[in-house]
C-alpha cells in the first residue's frame, strides 16, 4: 500500500488573501508530495509494508513501541508530515472563518472557559513554538477531553494517542512568501479560513476513532 497525496478540496487561490496561491501550490505539490514520497520510501520493505491500516495507526504503534524520540526518524518526520498536512488542508476552506457552533463550541467553552479563550490559547501555542512545528487542538481519549499544545517539526498528535481536530502549520514554508517574519499576522489570518464544520465533524467522530 502506498500513501497518496490527497487532492486539495479547493483551488490554490481559494484561501486568498489570507493564504496566497503560490504558497498553497508549493506547500501542496512540493512539501506535502515530498513527505508522501519519503513516507512510502520509509515504509517499503519494512514491517509496515502492505499494511492496510492508516497513517494514524502506524504512527501510534511506532511511537508506543519505540517512544517518539526512539522511532525511526524517516517515519517520524515523513509520516508525521504526511498526516499533519492531510489534516491541515481539510480543516481550512474558502467559506471558513466565523465561530464554531453546537457541541464543539460547548466543549471549547467547557474546556477553556470560552471560545475566545480557546483561540487565545491556540494562538499562543502557535506563536511560542520556537522554530518549525505545529499548533494543535486535539481530543485526548484518556482524558475524554480537549487539549491545546504545539509540537516540534512534524511530530503528530497521533504519536501521543491524541486525535487532531485542528492544526496550524507554523513552519516558515507555510507563510514566508506572504508574511515573511510576521508569524503573528499569519496566525491571525488563519482564523478567516478555518472550516469549523470540518472541525466539528472531526470532534464528533473522535471518541469512536481507534488506532
Ligand atoms: Mn508544511
Amino acid at each position: 500500500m502506498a500513501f497518496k497525496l490527497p487532492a486539495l478540496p479547493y483551488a490554490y487561490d481559494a484561501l486568498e488573501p489570507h493564504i496566497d496561491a503560490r504558497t498553497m501550490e508549493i506547500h501542496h505539490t512540493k512539501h506535502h508530495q515530498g513527505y508522501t514520497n519519503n513516507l512510502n520510501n520509509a515504509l517499503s520493505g519494512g514491517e509496515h509494508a502492505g499494511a492496510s491500516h492508516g497513517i494514524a495507526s502506524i504512527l501510534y504503534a511506532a511511537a508506543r513501541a519505540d517512544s517518539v524520540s526512539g522511532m525511526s526518524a524517516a517515519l517520524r518526520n515523513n509520516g508525521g508530515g504526511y498526516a499533519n498536512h492531510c489534516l491541515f488542508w481539510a480543516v481550512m476552506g474558502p467559506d471558513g472563518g466565523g465561530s464554531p457552533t453546537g457541541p464543539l463550541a460547548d466543549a471549547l467553552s467547557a474546556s477553556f472557559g470560552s471560545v475566545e479563550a480557546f483561540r487565545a490559547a491556540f494562538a499562543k501555542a502557535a506563536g511560542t513554538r520556537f522554530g518549525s512545528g505545529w499548533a494543535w487542538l486535539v481530543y485526548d481519549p484518556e482524558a475524554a477531553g480537549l487539549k491545546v499544545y504545539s509540537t516540534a517539526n512534524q511530530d503528530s498528535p497521533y504519536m501521543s494517542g491524541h486525535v487532531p481536530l485542528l492544526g496550524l502549520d507554523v513552519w516558515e514554508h507555510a507563510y514566508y512568501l506572504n508574511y515573511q517574519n510576521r508569524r503573528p499576522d499569519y496566525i491571525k489570518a488563519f482564523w478567516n479560513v478555518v472550516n469549523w464544520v470540518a472541525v466539528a465533524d472531526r470532534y464528533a467522530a473522535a471518541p469512536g476513532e481507534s488506532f
Side-chain angles (χ1 to χ4, degrees):
M1 169 182 120
F3 287 94
K4 284 189 183 136
L5 180 70
L8 272 195
Y10 39 77
Y12 288 125
D13 64 359
L15 305 183
E16 292 209 356
H18 310 294
I19 303 181
D20 64 285
R22 183 80 174 126
T23 294
M24 287 297 293
E25 183 172 6
I26 295 170
H27 204 170
H28 182 245
T29 64
K30 304 297 182 190
H31 292 274
H32 198 186
Q33 183 71 67
Y35 295 122
T36 306
N37 296 345
N38 291 329
L39 169 62
N40 287 325
N41 290 339
L43 295 178
S44 70
E47 60 180 298
H48 300 294
S52 59
H53 50 322
I55 188 63
S57 299
I58 290 173
L59 295 176
Y60 179 57
R64 198 172 45 172
D66 301 324
S67 82
V68 176
S69 60
M71 62 190 280
S72 123
L75 178 60
R76 181 182 181 183
N77 294 332
N78 297 296
Y82 178 78
N84 293 343
H85 289 84
C86 287
L87 174 132
F88 189 45
W89 313 135
V91 297
M92 297 191 292
D95 302 317
S99 290
T101 56
L104 174 62
D106 295 342
L108 290 170
S109 291
S111 299
F112 302 100
S114 66
V115 171
E116 283 316 303
F118 151 71
R119 284 187 206 264
F122 186 93
K124 186 179 179 189
T128 56
R129 163 53 53 188
F130 183 77
S132 297
W134 291 75
W136 299 106
L137 169 69
V138 305
Y139 177 78
D140 176 355
E142 267 183 29
L146 300 175
K147 289 181 176 167
V148 162
Y149 55 77
S150 71
T151 58
N153 302 312
Q154 294 295 354
D155 285 355
S156 158
Y158 289 126
M159 296 171 189
S160 304
H162 299 160
V163 181
L165 306 179
L166 178 68
L168 176 58
D169 188 341
V170 296
W171 284 57
E172 284 189 343
H173 69 228
Y175 64 87
Y176 204 84
L177 288 180
N178 199 28
Y179 294 95
Q180 294 83 49
N181 61 313
R182 293 174 285 113
R183 188 193 287 185
D185 290 349
Y186 163 69
I187 295 168
K188 202 179 291 181
F190 173 65
W191 298 117
N192 294 303
V193 296
V194 172
N195 179 347
W196 285 113
V197 174
V199 180
D201 286 348
R202 296 185 64 83
Y203 173 65
E209 259 200 59
S210 61
F211 51 87

